[in-house]
Amino acid sequence: LLLGVCSSAWGANLSISQLSDSISPWQMSDGTTVPGVDNSDPLPVGGIIVYDVSLSNTDLAAANNVAAIFDLPAGSKAVDLPIGCVVDAGVATRVVCTFASIPGSGTTPMKLKVDTQGMSPGPVIIHGAVGNAGATPPATTLAIHARAAAS
């Protein structure tokens, strides 16, 4: 009989279950919203897209020491980051968020604001991954959200 013990982060089933701009309105580059223009698509270049993000753990046990990364498009930048999130010191377009724990069968919501002021018109594509903070995950090769930016 062989028994093993596995940390809760290894047994967790983590995912980025929501990355949507459909709930919060976009903002101008100074952080103000435009009355009556909530959830506008396309977003004018120079606006700030407000993404509603949820990280989910579908395992019954809590996931401890969790990290999520978001690679933003060239020319964009993260603004007003939530607690626990920082811009990576080596990659200006990478946001790294760490969480002590995500409860079993639970979600952790947050808002990710992306300023498009330095971008050219076109789609906004974000790559993301979630996993154990002890081994920060690389960005995936699959886009997890796209949003058109207008001129």
Side-chain angles (χ1 to χ4, degrees):
L1 177 67
L2 178 62
L3 296 175
V5 177
C6 178
S7 73
S8 61
W10 285 102
N13 188 5
L14 299 170
S15 66
I16 299 170
S17 57
Q18 177 188 18
L19 180 66
S20 171
D21 62 346
S22 64
I23 298 172
S24 295
W26 60 272
Q27 301 175 345
M28 296 305 297
S29 60
D30 65 1
T32 60
T33 57
V34 179
V37 191
D38 294 355
N39 309 320
S40 175
D41 191 0
L43 168 84
V45 170
I48 297 172
I49 303 171
V50 181
Y51 289 104
D52 295 286
V53 179
S54 292
L55 305 177
S56 295
N57 175 12
T58 58
D59 194 72
L60 294 176
N64 298 316
N65 196 27
V66 175
I69 63 167
F70 301 94
D71 283 347
L72 310 178
S76 70
K77 67 179 180 180
V79 294
D80 298 328
L81 288 170
I83 293 172
C85 296
V86 296
V87 173
D88 186 270
V91 182
T93 55
R94 176 172 280 186
V95 175
V96 179
C97 302
T98 56
F99 305 90
S101 179
I102 296 179
S105 301
T107 60
T108 297
M110 59 184 248
K111 293 194 182 299
L112 180 63
K113 297 180 181 182
V114 179
D115 188 339
T116 62
Q117 193 166 13
M119 294 181 62
S120 299
V124 175
I125 299 174
I126 297 175
H127 296 235
V130 61
N132 187 290
T136 303
T140 66
T141 56
L142 301 174
I144 55 175
H145 184 73
R147 164 80 182 241
S151 57

